[in-house]
Amino acid sequence: MPGEKIRKMRKAAGWTVRALAEKTGVSESYISQLERGLVDPSVSLLRKIAAALEVPVASFFDEDGEPPLITRREDRRQARSGDGALSFSWISPQGEGLHLEMVEVHLQPGAELQGPAGEHYVNLLLTAGSLRMEYQDTVADLQSGDSVFIPSHTEYTLRCTGKAGAAGILCTSHGEEHP
């Protein structure tokens, strides 16, 4: 359950519920309910919490033990946005301390993915469709086969501009060194 992992990581960081709530823009009571497993967080909130705690989103779902070397398609952890416009399928193995997270992302037409600024680098390979990317003062249109590197501490928005949706591989590297 992600709430239990979030509580452990928050406490390990020496943070109060209030501190995490302030960093993520939600109420203390919501964080408390999340940590007790009474509510299910959105993908967007999980990304904000991961950015605040400087951990991969996947670490909220890790099982105890060593991460597997092979992640079978049928064993991938899946998530969807509340409206179903975004779907995520974790490609990388699960495990604490991993510094690279790979996620297959699917966006329905018009869907938007907002990435928080944090201590991580993001690489995106667009495998199908088209996206408009905005970050800092840059706007770029991406087509299937294009890739983009987004530096740490940079907020970004990806918007699906195609009529058939878009898909890509999103790689996030955590840590202080450039990947």
Side-chain angles (χ1 to χ4, degrees), residues 42-61:
S42 67
V43 172
S44 174
L45 179 58
L46 285 176
R47 290 177 58 86
K48 287 179 184 178
I49 292 170
L53 294 171
E54 298 180 13
V55 299
V57 172
S59 64
F60 300 144
F61 300 94

Side-chain angles (χ1 to χ4, degrees), residues 54-101:
E54 298 180 13
V55 299
V57 172
S59 64
F60 300 144
F61 300 94
D62 294 343
E63 298 297 325
D64 293 331
E66 292 296 315
L69 296 177
I70 298 172
T71 302
R72 303 278 182 210
R73 182 175 204 74
E74 63 271 13
D75 294 334
R76 288 186 192 172
R77 193 177 77 262
Q78 309 284 321
R80 284 192 169 281
S81 62
D83 62 2
L86 299 169
S87 64
F88 305 88
S89 177
W90 276 261
I91 298 168
S92 53
Q94 308 296 301
E96 303 254 348
L98 294 179
H99 295 283
L100 177 70
E101 182 176 53

Side-chain angles (χ1 to χ4, degrees), residues 97-157:
L98 294 179
H99 295 283
L100 177 70
E101 182 176 53
M102 291 177 49
V103 181
E104 183 177 21
V105 180
H106 292 267
L107 298 92
Q108 296 296 320
E112 191 173 279
L113 173 64
Q114 295 184 333
E119 298 283 333
H120 55 273
Y121 300 90
V122 175
N123 288 287
L124 170 71
L125 170 63
L126 188 61
T127 57
S130 57
L131 294 174
R132 171 157 287 169
M133 181 192 68
E134 299 174 12
Y135 74 98
Q136 297 173 337
D137 294 328
T138 302
V139 176
D141 291 318
L142 305 172
Q143 302 300 318
S144 181
D146 291 346
S147 63
V148 63
F149 172 80
I150 302 168
S152 64
H153 304 289
T154 304
E155 291 183 11
Y156 61 93
T157 301

Side-chain angles (χ1 to χ4, degrees), residues 6-21:
I6 292 168
R7 176 185 287 146
K8 287 179 185 177
M9 291 178 192
R10 174 184 59 78
K11 287 184 174 185
W15 291 5
T16 62
V17 169
R18 172 178 275 170
L20 184 57

